[in-house]
């Protein structure tokens, strides 16, 4: 059995007038994330980790923000397509470990729904997805509530 590890990172700016989508679910908040798609920074970092582990470049290569078909797209579609691409290459998902950095909103109450949503899209057990939320203790752009960043690590098996 071949084992591969991938790491993904993404960040999006918080702005007024947009919905906040994280982990495939909509979360009530005064701001949303700015991006070409729905700007689900968690899913984008997860896609990069999956693609990296399979040595398939990154999310921007496969789903460029210059392509009209991805304008305002639901990031769950990008994740579903990413999982299909890595499975077509012979990989299966072992697990994903994800850390979201945000001062607000408080994310812990939403983690079970995010895990459920991601597990359904990826066709894996919820037990195979770990999501943690942290703050940056009011330091940096995250601490100033200018944006949200996400780190994701995945294990693939072939």
């Amino acid at each position: 059995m071949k084992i591969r590890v991938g790491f993904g990172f993404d960040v999006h700016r918080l702005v007024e007038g947009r919905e906040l989508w994280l982990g495939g679910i909509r979360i009530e908040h005064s701001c949303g994330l700015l991006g070409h798609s729905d700007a689900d920074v968690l899913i984008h970092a997860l896609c990069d980790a999956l693609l990296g582990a399979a040595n398939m470049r990154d999310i921007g290569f496969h789903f460029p923000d210059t392509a009209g078909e991805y304008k305002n797209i639901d990031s769950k579609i990008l994740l579903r397509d990413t999982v299909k691409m890595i499975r077509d290459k012979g990989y299966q998902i072992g697990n994903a470990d994800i850390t979201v950095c945000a001062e607000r909103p408080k994310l812990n109450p939403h983690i079970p729904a995010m895990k459920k949503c991601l597990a359904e899209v990826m066709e894996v057990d919820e037990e195979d997805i770990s999501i943690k939320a942290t703050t940056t203790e009011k330091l940096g752009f995250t601490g100033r509530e200018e944006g949200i960043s996400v780190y994701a690590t995945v294990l693939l098996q072939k």
Side-chain angles (χ1 to χ4, degrees):
M1 173 178 19
K2 186 175 198 171
I3 295 174
R4 308 246 338 199
V5 175
F7 174 76
F9 171 78
D10 199 20
V11 61
H12 282 275
R13 178 182 303 272
L14 281 163
V15 297
E16 292 182 4
R18 287 198 43 122
E19 295 178 342
L20 178 59
W21 287 88
L22 275 177
I25 66 166
R26 185 174 180 273
I27 298 173
E28 285 297 322
H29 190 50
S30 58
C31 296
L33 294 168
L34 183 62
H36 185 71
S37 65
D38 64 6
D40 189 327
V41 66
L42 188 155
I43 287 181
H44 296 178
L46 179 56
C47 286
D48 267 349
L50 290 164
L51 291 165
N55 194 21
M56 296 178 70
R57 300 193 62 169
D58 60 39
I59 190 171
F61 178 79
H62 294 279
F63 312 106
D65 64 5
T66 54
E69 64 263 33
Y70 303 121
K71 180 74 175 158
N72 298 318
I73 195 168
D74 182 337
S75 291
K76 291 186 293 291
I77 296 168
L78 305 180
L79 178 58
R80 183 198 65 216
D81 291 352
T82 297
V83 169
K84 182 180 182 328
M85 284 189 281
I86 66 164
R87 285 192 175 137
D88 286 349
K89 199 170 174 181
Y91 290 103
Q92 294 300 316
I93 298 164
N95 73 301
D97 185 23
I98 304 159
T99 302
V100 183
C101 301
E103 292 295 321
R104 289 186 316 117
K106 293 300 180 197
L107 299 176
N108 279 324
H110 304 286
I111 288 175
M114 287 188 230
K115 287 179 61 168
K116 182 178 188 317
C117 177
L118 294 175
E120 287 173 4
V121 172
M122 298 168 67
E123 299 176 339
V124 299
D125 293 334
E126 286 182 49
E127 182 65 25
D128 295 330
I129 300 171
S130 169
I131 301 174
K132 303 171 306 291
T134 190
T135 68
T136 58
E137 300 296 328
K138 303 205 181 294
L139 296 173
F141 74 88
T142 305
R144 292 187 301 271
E145 298 183 39
E146 295 171 5
I148 295 176
S149 59
V150 177
Y151 301 88
T153 304
V154 301
L155 179 84
L156 298 184
Q157 302 164 344
K158 191 174 199 179

